[in-house]
Amino acid sequence: MIGTVGRTGLAAVAAVALMSGCSDVERALNRGGDTPCGEYVTQDADTKRITVTKFVKERDNLSTEPSGTAVDLTIMAVDVLCSGQRNADTPIKNADVAGMIVNK
């Protein structure tokens, strides 16, 4: 028989497994660069980071996680694009990171 401590431990393990599963599901369903601005601006900070990280991986054709600097710069570019964007359907992949750094 499982005691109270054992049940509490099992419940904690199950909760952690469910939480990590949600994160994996969220990453899998996330549209990355195809995410429209209207959806992006409603995301919380963690979800925005997941979205932009996926976008950077797609854009740069990376098999590993991109650098934090690359993600941070892209978040800034996407925030600029989406904050002034009148068309909520514009995908975040239209953000111009290079244009923020180098005068074109």
Side-chain angles (χ1 to χ4, degrees):
M1 256 184 121
I2 300 175
T4 303
V5 174
R7 278 183 260 181
T8 303
L10 287 174
V13 169
V16 169
L18 286 174
M19 285 187 287
S20 66
C22 291
S23 180
D24 291 341
V25 169
E26 182 177 24
R27 282 185 173 90
L29 296 177
N30 190 296
R31 294 188 279 171
D34 291 327
T35 302
C37 279
E39 182 180 322
Y40 176 82
V41 298
T42 65
Q43 295 176 343
D44 62 36
D46 291 335
T47 305
K48 284 181 178 180
R49 188 159 200 87
I50 291 168
T51 300
V52 171
T53 299
K54 185 170 184 176
F55 163 46
V56 171
K57 285 179 77 171
E58 294 166 348
R59 180 191 68 201
D60 298 345
N61 198 26
L62 300 173
S63 60
T64 60
E65 292 298 309
S67 72
T69 303
V71 173
D72 291 339
L73 287 172
T74 305
I75 287 172
M76 288 188 325
V78 171
D79 285 346
V80 168
L81 170 75
C82 292
S83 68
Q85 185 54 250
R86 292 176 191 243
N87 184 352
D89 294 331
T90 299
I92 66 168
K93 65 184 172 192
N94 290 358
D96 184 10
V97 177
M100 293 182 69
I101 300 168
V102 178
N103 191 6
K104 290 185 173 180

